[in-house]
Structures are given as C-alpha cells and as structure tokens.
Amino acid sequence: EVQLVESGGGFVQPGGSLRLSCAASGFTFSSYEMNWVRQAPGKGLEWVSYISTSGSVIYYADSVKGRFTISRDNAKNSLYLQMNSLRPEDTAVYFCARDTKFAVAGTYWFDPWGQGTLVTVSS
Amino acid sequence: EIVLTQSPATLSLSPGERATLSCRASQSVSSYLAWYQQKPGQAPRLLIYDASNRATGIPARFSGSGSGTDFTLTISSLEPEDFAVYYCQQRSNWPLGTFGPGTKVDIK
C-alpha cells in the first residue's frame, strides 16, 4: 500500500523553526517528485514547494521563499521541510503529496497525499 | 500568475440531485486541470485529472469537462459520501500547482 506519513508539527513562537518529515512507503520513493502543500485552519489549499527525484530541482511558493527549505533522503525514503523564521500566517496543516505521472497524458498530479501535520505559530 | 476562481462558494443540494461546480482560470491552462475532493479532517483525494479523466477508483458519477479557462465538475447524482469540499488545481506552469479557493457541497 502506498503511504505517506507526515510528522514534526507542533507549536512554535514567531521567528522559530521546525522541521517536518514525510515518510514514504509502498513505492519506489526515489522515482517520484514530491511536494508540500499547506492548509490554514478553515481555508483552502496552498502549494508550498516541489522537489525533483534527485533533489537537484526545487521550487517554492513566493510566500515561503527564503525561509523554507525542501529536501529529501532517498536512502531513507523521506521528504523534509525545514521551516525557519516562522510567522503566524504559516499556521496550517502541512501535507506531503506525491507527484504522480499519468501515463496516457504524461502529466503529473498530486496522488496520493499524506494525512498532514499541524504547525501552529503563535506567541 | 494564474489565478483560479471557483463558483459557487457553497452548493446546497439533496442526495440524488445533480451537482455542477465551476472553475475558471485567469488565463488559459489548456487541459492542465485537476479536481480534488476533501472531507473534514482528511487529506484531499484526486478525482479528475487533465480536465476530464477520472482517477483510479473514482465512481462514474463524477465527470469533468472544459479546456482553456472554463472547467466544470459534475456529480450526476449525489451520494451521502459526496458532501465535501472540492478544489480545482492547475499545473500549466508545472511543477508549480495553484489551487482554487474551493466549493463546499453541503446537504440541503
């Protein structure tokens, strides 16, 4: 069974740091690009970051650029999100999502998703 | 930056009724659009990709249509488990992937 399990969320003061992890199982992790998506309480989905299979290509949303760092360890089947200089507006559930290629069209979509981990930034 | 708008914000319907959800892009995204379903406390689930293709295991009552800037998700006959929030997502500028604000389908 394909599974993604996030961890590392918690309560942190503004300006603080957290490192999120996403443990992958049931598929060849090193063959898939990965993403982080977040959802503020009661709000919609916001794409946060993308990483290629090797980690050599990375993209960030403007809202987190310069503060968040995505990385992966293919030997450990794990995806990470290092979050620094956290702000109250970063409060959200953070999901990891696999970038899955749909062979017929050759396009990529988020499937599956993990269950998410909650990050709360507050003084 | 491509912006997605979804309408209506909330759709109140009864089981068995037809649901029609709209997603509009600020510029053409070709067919690079997907629909996701999210139930309370759960992760989103991919329903439709490339505007009109159902993902694995998605019932036939879900269908997607459209291209360019205007897209529609139709649920032909609502089942109790279909009451949820639905998001569209565009990836015409892959790997970036912006989402719409969502449409909540609730029980009338």
Side-chain angles (χ1 to χ4, degrees):
Chain A
E1 178 193 4
V2 174
Q3 196 169 15
L4 298 169
V5 179
E6 301 92 337
S7 60
F11 187 93
V12 62
Q13 292 188 332
S17 299
L18 273 179
R19 188 194 195 206
L20 306 184
S21 299
C22 170
S25 60
F27 65 99
T28 305
F29 179 72
S30 59
S31 296
Y32 288 86
E33 291 94 345
M34 297 293 296
N35 297 268
W36 286 100
V37 178
R38 68 183 180 182
Q39 185 171 37
K43 302 298 183 182
L45 302 169
E46 179 189 14
W47 171 80
V48 171
S49 186
Y50 158 95
I51 188 168
S52 64
T53 54
S54 65
S56 61
V57 179
I58 286 173
Y59 290 88
Y60 297 101
D62 288 343
S63 57
V64 306
K65 201 173 294 182
R67 300 187 299 120
F68 289 12
T69 302
I70 191 172
S71 63
R72 64 190 297 162
D73 185 336
N74 288 338
K76 294 183 177 180
N77 293 329
S78 292
L79 174 72
Y80 305 103
L81 187 67
Q82 176 67 44
M83 304 185 296
N84 298 332
S85 302
L86 282 161
R87 306 166 179 168
E89 55 265 35
D90 295 318
T91 294
V93 174
Y94 285 74
F95 298 98
C96 61
R98 189 180 74 175
D99 224 329
T100 299
K101 182 177 181 179
F102 286 79
V104 173
T107 53
Y108 292 78
W109 300 101
F110 295 177
D111 182 53
W113 300 53
Q115 87 290 345
T117 187
L118 177 62
V119 172
T120 303
V121 185
S122 175
S123 55
Chain B
E1 178 191 355
I2 298 174
V3 177
L4 298 178
T5 55
Q6 292 186 241
S7 61
T10 303
L11 193 54
S12 297
L13 295 169
S14 301
E17 289 192 297
R18 182 184 189 90
T20 303
L21 288 67
S22 175
C23 176
R24 178 164 291 180
S26 60
Q27 63 190 78
S28 177
V29 299
S30 185
S31 295
Y32 300 120
L33 190 111
W35 291 91
Y36 297 84
Q37 177 194 64
Q38 187 180 32
K39 298 178 182 179
Q42 296 185 17
R45 176 176 70 146
L46 178 67
L47 295 177
I48 302 287
Y49 66 92
D50 295 345
S52 61
N53 296 294
R54 275 189 303 276
T56 303
I58 302 304
R61 63 181 181 273
F62 291 93
S63 63
S65 64
S67 65
T69 60
D70 290 294
F71 301 86
T72 301
L73 173 70
T74 301
I75 310 172
S76 59
S77 178
L78 283 163
E79 296 287 339
E81 62 268 27
D82 299 337
F83 292 92
V85 180
Y86 293 83
Y87 296 95
C88 57
Q89 181 199 25
Q90 70 82 21
R91 295 196 89 185
S92 66
N93 51 349
W94 183 89
L96 281 66
T98 52
F99 293 90
T103 289
K104 182 179 182 180
V105 178
D106 65 14
I107 300 176
K108 187 174 181 180

